Amino acid sequence: MGTSKRTQGKSTDAALAEQLIAGTQKHFTTASPLAFASASFTPAQIETSLQTLATLRNGVDDARTALEAKLAAEKDQAAALVAFMRAFVQFVQATFAKSPDILADFGLKPRKARAPLTVEQQAAAAAKRKATRAARGTKGAKQKAGITGSVTGVVIIPVTAAQPAAAVETSGTSAPAITAGATTATPPRS
């Protein structure tokens, strides 16, 4: 995740506060109260206020870093864990399908029983299935079994290991002979 300008500014403020603490300890340890911002402050009060700012900012930065790490871990592991949980839910529902009180112990509700279709609904579903099959051109197993293709003029030439490199003539056919290492183009299907 990128850092916004606002966050960078706050981190810069925390770093500056720590530098100001170091400078105050070095140059104002023996000074009397310092007057600024319409008030007077002792060096100890200044150090305490600046340290509070730095501590708060660093705490926020640490929390943000921890949050980003936890979000990354969740992103890496959540998909597999959610899939595992769903599989377990299905297992529990299948195991205790007839016991709604046990399902409630798992925080699950029993599956609703499927309501039987009325005669009108069955007729509408059958008509819809028929219309869908007609629109898609799908066929059943019996209709597909009646469809066959026809192939004519296939010549098979056996290939043996001792075949010479020259063209071999086949008796009584006009199919081209295949020589060893040669390639032939196949004609398009009709």
Side-chain angles (χ1 to χ4, degrees):
M1 291 187 171
T3 335
S4 68
K5 287 184 178 182
R6 183 176 180 184
T7 304
Q8 288 175 347
K10 289 180 179 179
S11 295
T12 303
D13 287 345
L16 178 59
E18 290 172 352
Q19 285 297 120
L20 288 171
I21 292 169
T24 302
Q25 290 172 345
K26 186 174 183 180
H27 297 288
F28 291 119
T29 53
T30 59
S32 58
L34 304 171
F36 61 93
S38 301
S40 63
F41 304 94
T42 65
Q45 289 173 322
I46 294 169
E47 289 175 24
T48 303
S49 295
L50 292 173
Q51 187 60 50
T52 302
L53 173 64
T55 302
L56 290 172
R57 182 75 253 153
N58 291 334
V60 169
D61 288 343
D62 292 345
R64 180 174 284 119
T65 302
L67 172 66
E68 289 173 358
K70 288 184 183 224
L71 288 172
E74 179 190 29
K75 183 179 179 182
D76 291 343
Q77 299 175 10
L81 293 172
V82 167
F84 171 79
M85 181 180 67
R86 287 183 179 152
F88 182 63
V89 166
Q90 289 177 347
F91 169 77
V92 170
Q93 285 176 331
T95 303
F96 301 110
K98 303 290 184 188
S99 305
D101 54 333
I102 296 175
L103 286 175
D105 291 341
F106 287 97
L108 302 173
K109 295 179 181 176
R111 292 184 180 165
K112 292 183 179 178
R114 188 172 178 179
L117 297 177
T118 65
V119 175
E120 293 84 15
Q121 290 171 328
Q122 289 176 353
K128 188 174 180 181
R129 283 191 300 272
K130 186 175 180 181
T132 301
R133 288 179 71 122
R136 292 181 181 167
T138 56
K139 300 183 182 325
K142 290 182 181 178
Q143 289 86 1
K144 284 194 268 183
I147 300 172
T148 58
S150 60
V151 178
T152 58
V154 175
V155 176
I156 299 175
I157 301 172
V159 178
T160 61
Q163 189 175 21
V168 177
E169 284 292 321
T170 57
S171 61
T173 63
S174 61
I178 300 175
T179 59
T183 59
T184 60
T186 57
R189 295 183 186 177
S190 55

